[in-house]
Amino acid sequence: MKEEKQPDGISVHTGFPNPATDTSLRSLDLNQLLIQHSASTYFFRVRGDQWQNDGVFDGDIAIVDRSLDPRKNDTVIWWDEHQDSFAISPYRSMPAGATLWGVISSTIHQFRKINHE
Amino acid sequence: MSKVFALIDCNNFFVSCERLFRPDLETKPVVVLSSGDGCAVARSNEAKALGVPMGAPVFKHRELFEKHHIVKFSANFELYGDISKRITALLATITPRIEIYSVDESFLDLTELPIQDYEAWGRKVRAAIMKDIGIPVSIGVAGSKTLAKLAAEIAKQHTGYRGAFSFIDLAEHRREAALGSMRVEEIWGVGRRLAPKLRSSGISNALALSRMLPRHAQQLMGVHGRQMVSELNGTACLSFTPEHAPAKSILRSRTFGEDTSQVHVLEAAVATLGARAAFSLRKDELLARRIGLFTNTNRNKPGYQRWVREIKLNTPTNDSGYIISTLVDELDEFVSSAQHYHQLGVFLYDLVPQSELQTDLLGYVDTAHHDRAQARMQALDQVNAKWGRGKLYYAAERLSDRWQPKHQIRSPRFVSKWDELPEARIV
């Protein structure tokens, strides 16, 4: 960027225009990455540490999109009526007769929690 | 071109929202109670079948609740509001011509849409809302809003219709059977006042009302009655207003967590409710010409009393500070430490658009003062928009929180608080 000295001492910037003022450029948005259908997306808190080796930890947040149709390799949330609680498992090991609640599209693990208060 | 409207009506909406995160309650009797946990404001079908009346105060039906293990929830309005917005968002993908009638009912104008079979369309929409959002709805389609509402009610009552019923192109004998099955009390616009009037004229169901001569309907019920008869015959008379209609009046009221005799507790309630009401006013870019407050003792205890005060303002306003101080002054004039106050509300009405601030003829309107207030409110709202609702507040709002309703049996705020998310176990 050049700065030209004007006779009366006022400096004028005549360099490359700031691309950030072009509204067609958007900053990265995590919602866009993680949420395909906002109306059908709900969040759950993951409980249990059996899947640590797969990178899913107790306390992680599961993003659940109810509009997705489950496929063989999906991980899903269903209602476990014997335990009276929601359960997470691969779709293929969901017990027959259990009610599917939704398909998990991602989980979020925070190494450092942001303090919101 | 004749019109086509659909009504999307959520079944026992508040109960359905609670069941979304409590599938174990799917077939159990459930009620949702009003703020202050006084009365049943939503009932599951099972609770209705057990004879829990709408608006039933819990203390009057304690035995019924205990005998049948009826599950009670305090209203969780953050949850219901969020789910309602999701349904609207889904409906908006069908058509932008939506009229949000209430938190659980929306009209769609389908006139321009290329739909062949309205009941099949309705069942598809119903299935999508059930799967994507998790809420059961009933859908009615007809040539008028009144008839669409009746169609949704028919769809809800007769499971054979699988959640959708349409009056469009319906065979005459089926139309007559459907209208004949609906009592006049179930028709939109027939209130508690009109129903006995109709019945004493020998009109007991929707079919009989639809056959009334428009002239007679007008004699009996005024223009409203004439319109109702046309609407029941599938001719749209009521307007469809997709835009957000600005409020005609704003009311913010609460039943206290515990009755109070303390002036500062009442003042805190006035200030908090006044600030919230003024905020809604500014959101709609309105000013109030009249403001007021009411408070009362417990209706169910002896010596019930109610006080209402209203003030006409020289200059219309939406200034929280001015509204709060005016109402607190008003309160202080009649409040007595000998009374046990149970409920309090603040209302703003006679609303005018901000752009229409007119000087009164004698020139009492102080525009310089008005402009300063506007700047102050803008700053207040900007801070709260950026840092969260209630970050900047009037000191009077925090004199006490003892007036706040108790939500002892409210479900977690599953969709609006990160630390209240539903939990799921890895199995």
Side-chain angles (χ1 to χ4, degrees):
Chain A
M1 200 176 282
K2 288 199 301 273
E3 224 173 80
E4 290 174 355
K5 219 51 181 167
Q6 299 292 103
D8 55 1
I10 299 168
S11 62
V12 177
H13 299 275
T14 57
F16 195 76
N18 180 359
T21 58
D22 179 352
T23 49
S24 66
L25 291 175
R26 292 251 179 269
S27 303
L28 292 175
D29 178 359
L30 278 174
N31 288 305
Q32 191 199 7
L33 178 76
L34 298 172
I35 298 176
Q36 199 181 350
H37 313 104
S38 57
S40 55
T41 297
Y42 294 92
F43 302 113
F44 278 71
R45 186 72 62 185
V46 176
R47 289 295 167 216
D49 40 26
Q50 305 94 298
W51 287 2
Q52 288 193 6
N53 293 337
D54 300 304
V56 181
F57 297 82
D58 185 86
D60 285 359
I61 290 169
I63 302 178
V64 181
D65 187 343
R66 284 181 62 102
S67 72
L68 300 176
D69 291 315
R71 296 186 200 145
K72 196 176 56 181
N73 290 322
D74 277 330
T75 302
V76 296
I77 289 194
W78 44 277
W79 179 251
D80 183 345
E81 56 179 357
H82 303 295
Q83 299 289 327
D84 239 5
S85 69
F86 288 108
I88 297 176
S89 78
Y91 179 51
R92 54 187 137 67
S93 48
M94 191 175 115
T99 313
L100 176 74
W101 202 91
V103 173
I104 298 182
S105 57
S106 316
T107 60
I108 304 171
H109 180 73
Q110 289 180 285
F111 289 94
R112 269 205 197 199
K113 296 254 171 7
I114 296 169
N115 186 356
H116 283 283
E117 186 47 37
Chain B
M1 189 181 184
S2 55
K3 297 274 183 193
V4 181
F5 296 107
L7 178 73
I8 286 74
D9 185 5
C10 301
N11 302 349
N12 311 330
F13 180 56
F14 296 170
V15 170
S16 298
C17 292
E18 298 293 347
R19 281 176 168 167
L20 179 58
F21 295 101
R22 289 287 305 274
D24 57 308
L25 300 179
E26 203 50 60
T27 54
K28 304 228 164 77
V30 178
V31 297
V32 173
L33 306 176
S34 60
S35 82
D37 296 344
C39 304
V41 291
R43 302 160 298 156
S44 71
N45 291 343
E46 296 77 8
K48 288 177 192 172
L50 289 171
V52 179
M54 190 61 171
V58 173
F59 75 92
K60 277 195 185 158
H61 298 268
R62 188 153 284 138
E63 265 178 46
L64 185 70
F65 277 83
E66 281 170 13
K67 186 173 160 208
H68 297 286
H69 305 287
I70 298 173
V71 180
K72 303 188 291 275
F73 285 99
S74 306
N76 185 346
F77 288 114
E78 288 184 36
L79 175 63
Y80 314 150
D82 179 280
I83 305 283
S84 176
K85 271 196 271 178
R86 291 166 186 262
I87 293 172
T88 306
L90 191 147
L91 295 175
T93 63
I94 299 170
T95 169
R97 302 218 10 106
I98 302 180
E99 181 187 303
I100 301 167
Y101 179 67
S102 68
V103 68
D104 58 349
E105 287 171 289
S106 291
F107 287 103
L108 299 187
D109 179 357
L110 305 180
T111 310
E112 307 286 333
L113 298 186
I115 298 167
Q116 301 294 327
D117 179 340
Y118 287 102
E119 285 183 1
W121 171 86
R123 286 183 197 117
K124 237 172 68 185
V125 172
R126 174 185 147 88
I129 296 175
M130 188 68 226
K131 174 167 192 277
D132 292 10
I133 297 161
I135 298 295
V137 300
S138 299
I139 297 182
V141 181
S144 72
K145 283 162 62 175
T146 305
L147 205 52
K149 218 161 172 338
L150 204 63
E153 196 55 44
I154 292 170
K156 190 180 296 180
Q157 291 178 11
H158 303 275
T159 49
Y161 292 121
R162 287 176 289 141
F165 183 80
S166 164
F167 274 107
I168 306 287
D169 299 330
L170 194 64
E172 182 57 19
H173 70 280
R174 289 194 56 208
R175 191 186 75 90
E176 286 180 5
L179 286 177
S181 74
M182 300 307 281
R183 295 176 292 117
V184 282
E185 288 80 4
E186 294 174 293
I187 301 167
W188 190 31
V190 177
R192 235 174 273 175
R193 202 174 51 83
L194 281 184
K197 229 175 175 178
L198 286 167
R199 284 197 175 267
S200 64
S201 314
I203 292 168
S204 59
N205 63 43
L207 182 64
L209 183 56
S210 76
R211 285 177 172 165
M212 214 174 169
L213 288 175
R215 190 163 45 86
H216 287 161
Q218 185 151 359
Q219 277 165 2
L220 196 66
M221 301 175 283
V223 184
H224 170 71
R226 192 188 185 103
Q227 280 187 346
M228 206 150 54
V229 170
S230 295
E231 286 251 322
L232 282 177
N233 286 297
T235 306
C237 298
L238 302 173
S239 61
F240 182 84
T241 44
E243 313 80 32
H244 169 67
K248 292 199 176 65
S249 66
I250 292 171
L251 169 71
R252 292 288 177 276
S253 68
R254 286 293 181 278
T255 301
F256 300 147
E258 55 192 79
D259 291 0
T260 186
S261 304
Q262 289 175 289
V263 176
H264 77 277
V265 176
L266 292 167
E267 287 179 352
V270 167
T272 309
L273 297 170
R276 287 186 196 162
F279 175 68
S280 323
L281 202 56
R282 295 195 294 274
K283 229 170 46 184
D284 282 352
E285 298 182 359
L286 295 170
L287 303 167
R289 279 194 289 224
R290 291 169 191 264
I291 65 178
L293 66 92
F294 72 85
T295 181
N296 53 261
T297 61
N298 191 336
R299 195 185 295 268
N300 297 307
K301 287 183 184 160
Y304 168 69
Q305 270 199 72
R306 184 178 173 89
W307 299 261
V308 183
R309 291 295 182 96
E310 58 171 85
I311 303 129
K312 187 176 185 318
L313 304 174
N314 285 326
T315 310
T317 190
N318 58 21
D319 177 349
S320 294
Y322 184 71
I323 290 171
I324 292 171
S325 62
T326 307
L327 292 178
V328 167
D329 287 347
E330 201 64 29
L331 175 81
D332 289 344
E333 280 184 21
F334 68 82
V335 76
S336 150
S337 57
Q339 294 287 352
H340 297 281
Y341 299 95
H342 182 66
Q343 204 176 28
L344 183 142
V346 164
F347 52 88
L348 312 176
Y349 67 110
D350 203 349
L351 308 181
V352 288
Q354 216 161 3
S355 52
E356 281 175 27
L357 178 62
Q358 298 162 324
T359 23
D360 65 345
L361 292 172
L362 298 171
Y364 284 132
V365 172
D366 180 349
T367 46
H369 180 269
H370 173 78
D371 292 344
R372 279 199 303 278
Q374 288 295 308
R376 203 158 52 229
M377 289 304 104
Q378 216 169 23
L380 172 71
D381 292 343
Q382 276 167 2
V383 168
N384 285 333
K386 180 155 186 200
W387 301 103
R389 191 174 119 173
K391 271 278 150 29
L392 193 60
Y393 53 87
Y394 283 84
E397 294 180 53
R398 303 294 161 95
L399 283 170
S400 165
D401 60 6
R402 289 198 29 208
W403 61 279
Q404 296 275 12
K406 286 179 187 150
H407 299 291
Q408 284 157 335
I409 44 176
R410 187 183 64 198
S411 53
R413 287 164 291 185
F414 293 118
V415 293
S416 52
K417 290 273 181 278
W418 287 114
D419 51 9
E420 297 184 26
L421 296 183
E423 299 193 345
R425 294 171 306 108
I426 298 170
V427 296

